[in-house]
Amino acid sequence: MTRRTVRIAMNGVTGRMGHHQHLVRSILALREQGGLDLGDGTVLWPEPVLVGRREHALKTLADQHGLDPAHLSTDLDAVLADPTVDIYFDAQVTAAREAALRRAIAAGKHVYTEKPTATGLAGALELARLATAAGVRHGVVQDKLFLPGLRKLKRLIDGGFLGRILSVRGEFGYWVFEGDWQEAQRPSWNYRAEDGGGIVADMFPHWEYVLHELFGRVTSVQALAVTHVPRRWDENGTPYDATADDAAYGVFEVEGGVVAQINSSWTVRVHRDELVEFQVDGTEGSAVAGLRRCRVQHRGTTPRPVWNPDLPAAYSFRDQWQEVPDNEEFDNGFKAQWELFLRHVYAGAPYSWDLLAGARGVQLAELGLRSSAEGRRLDVPEVTL
Ligand SMILES: NC(=O)c1ccc[n+]([C@@H]2O[C@H](COP(=O)([O-])OP(=O)(O)OC[C@H]3O[C@@H](n4cnc5c(N)ncnc54)[C@H](O)[C@@H]3O)[C@@H](O)[C@H]2O)c1
């Protein structure tokens, strides 16, 4: 076995996603398993180069994980000019992403990035064009596709269990504390439009690829985005005006006639089994998929409820569903996608979740917000390079 070290500049790794999912659960987890075996006698050994604005925060992070303090920098351009760095990864706040990705592409680095890739479709498409023209490999995080619940749902669809799919109903959300009497569990920039926040910008890119991969391309969107809680308290306990939407009620038409309704909310209390759940109804059967679980009800086992408000419910509707078994091991979704991206870069494996796919997500967010502002349903044209 030949061990090949690949140096990955990781920007924004002091943040929630960058730290937990990408550094610890993906890159460091790959090291713990001995690297990534490419199957051709090579094992890739990822070497993170921590990049950020605050040196002390990077040092603390490096210390915490036993990483060499020589491999951190607050100078992005210097890191990008380093020929030993192959890949640039971005998990910064959304508003800082596009400019950094442009610099990385111009420096000839392969790029892998969190979503949304930019704050508007024009910028997102430009990134896709620049990366393609530069001949670098590019990938965008689409972690929800790798959730066990959605993998099982995909398996059911591919196996024909649902028959002709009619509709999808998604519920995503939980209560995010305002920050006054209990600390908020999300960063305050999420609630400021001027800083790239808002639940549409955050979640519609996810819904785009989930719908696209499982059911088909989204062809129209109608959304109502609202700010239910207009005042919040930031990380320092200072009150601020929440200028971004904290809930969005969306209806999406999908190629082939599937209708999807998805509620996204940071102002809802959970009375569900998981923080996100999708119910899919088809002619042959239905499925309810969450982060980890997936339950089904077949046509042949569908009970016959009869509407009668004078009587209490005669049975538990939830008990009439059957659990879909795992039948395989599911790794962390972020790590699974990192592995596929690294195989794409170093072994030429096909990879479809690129910056063009990322631009589709940005487009759906942009059109969702416009639909809400204009109070009408909008077509979603196909994006091309
Ligand atoms: N794939 C997913 O499921 C998922 C989930 C949450 C967030 N995200 C995305 O990940 C990105 C980061 O989100 P997060 O929740 O980790 O945010 P966060 O606020 O916890 O982290 C942001 C990171 O960006 C850095 N940063 C760079 N420039 C900054 C600036 N001008 N102001 C503030 N911070 C700056 C911070 O230091 C920090 O490292 C966002 O683009 C978000 O859309 C993806």
Side-chain angles (χ1 to χ4, degrees):
M1 280 286 186
T2 317
R3 188 162 108 162
R4 177 169 176 193
T5 298
V6 294
R7 301 190 75 216
I8 305 172
M10 300 187 79
N11 198 359
V13 272
T14 58
R16 276 183 338 139
M17 297 312 293
H19 182 192
H20 297 291
Q21 296 302 339
H22 294 287
L23 182 64
V24 178
R25 303 277 283 137
S26 299
I27 297 302
L28 297 184
L30 271 172
R31 286 157 65 107
E32 266 161 39
Q33 73 178 36
L36 178 65
D37 187 347
L38 290 185
D40 62 355
T42 315
V43 170
L44 291 186
W45 182 253
E47 188 70 71
V49 179
L50 309 182
V51 184
R53 299 163 303 158
R54 296 163 299 151
E55 192 168 3
H56 66 94
L58 296 174
K59 276 193 173 137
T60 306
L61 195 61
D63 274 359
Q64 198 180 338
H65 298 291
L67 294 168
D68 186 344
H71 297 164
L72 60 84
S73 175
T74 55
D75 185 346
L76 177 61
D77 284 327
V79 172
L80 293 176
D82 181 342
T84 68
V85 170
D86 273 7
I87 297 176
Y88 171 76
F89 168 69
D90 193 295
Q92 293 187 96
V93 289
T94 301
R97 176 155 308 125
E98 186 183 333
L101 287 176
R102 277 171 176 269
R103 280 151 78 185
I105 293 166
K109 305 299 177 194
H110 304 297
V111 292
Y112 188 54
T113 178
E114 262 296 350
K115 45 50 64 181
T117 54
T119 49
L121 176 60
L125 268 177
E126 185 61 10
L127 286 174
R129 290 188 186 117
L130 289 170
T132 305
V136 298
R137 308 257 173 175
H138 43 106
V140 179
V141 175
Q142 300 201 340
D143 53 291
K144 306 291 177 270
L145 296 175
F146 300 88
L147 288 169
L150 290 192
R151 293 273 302 275
K152 288 184 267 191
L153 175 59
K154 174 89 170 92
R155 194 202 290 156
L156 291 169
I157 295 169
D158 293 347
F161 177 86
L162 300 162
R164 182 168 63 85
I165 296 172
L166 311 173
S167 62
V168 180
R169 284 184 300 120
E171 274 294 334
F172 163 84
Y174 47 92
W175 189 265
V176 176
F177 285 101
E178 298 88 331
D180 49 352
W181 65 289
Q182 290 196 59
E183 209 178 301
Q185 69 273 40
R186 293 187 63 91
S188 59
W189 66 266
N190 283 187
Y191 302 91
R192 290 189 295 265
E194 59 278 22
D195 291 338
I199 202 161
V200 170
D202 193 27
M203 296 316 295
F204 277 31
H206 289 297
W207 307 150
E208 191 284 326
Y209 66 72
V210 167
L211 293 173
H212 195 123
E213 293 257 338
L214 270 66
F215 309 104
R217 197 180 77 76
V218 176
T219 56
S220 83
V221 56
Q222 179 160 22
L224 181 63
V226 282
T227 307
H228 286 302
V229 176
R231 194 164 175 75
R232 290 180 176 270
W233 282 257
D234 70 12
E235 290 76 3
N236 305 313
T238 310
Y240 65 96
D241 291 332
T243 49
D245 42 293
D246 55 18
Y249 307 88
V251 180
F252 309 88
E253 282 179 293
V254 175
E255 231 167 24
V258 176
V259 179
Q261 282 171 271
I262 307 181
N263 292 328
S264 316
S265 178
W266 288 320
T267 52
V268 68
R269 297 184 176 88
V270 181
H271 184 72
R272 253 175 274 136
D273 294 322
E274 302 197 70
L275 295 191
V276 66
E277 280 181 353
F278 296 93
Q279 172 160 344
V280 185
D281 290 297
T283 52
E284 297 299 310
S286 296
V288 175
L291 296 167
R292 307 199 67 86
R293 299 181 64 181
C294 185
R295 276 155 289 178
V296 289
Q297 188 171 92
H298 190 257
R299 182 175 187 233
T301 59
T302 303
R304 183 193 296 272
V306 177
W307 178 259
N308 185 352
D310 296 327
L311 292 177
Y315 30 63
S316 159
F317 293 106
R318 283 187 197 277
D319 292 344
Q320 296 164 344
W321 294 70
Q322 203 184 349
E323 191 80 37
V324 177
D326 283 358
N327 288 359
E328 62 184 296
E329 271 193 32
F330 298 105
D331 205 349
N332 174 286
F334 290 88
K335 174 165 171 273
Q337 207 189 343
W338 262 106
E339 290 188 8
L340 291 170
F341 183 69
L342 291 172
R343 287 186 199 285
H344 174 56
V345 174
Y346 295 101
Y351 191 88
S352 56
W353 309 294
D354 59 7
L355 283 169
L356 185 61
R360 282 200 302 264
V362 174
Q363 177 197 36
L364 192 63
E366 190 169 279
L367 290 175
L369 285 173
R370 212 172 93 203
S371 154
S372 180
E374 296 176 6
R376 62 193 183 99
R377 187 171 72 206
L378 296 175
D379 286 339
V380 179
E382 199 157 352
V383 295
T384 48
L385 277 183

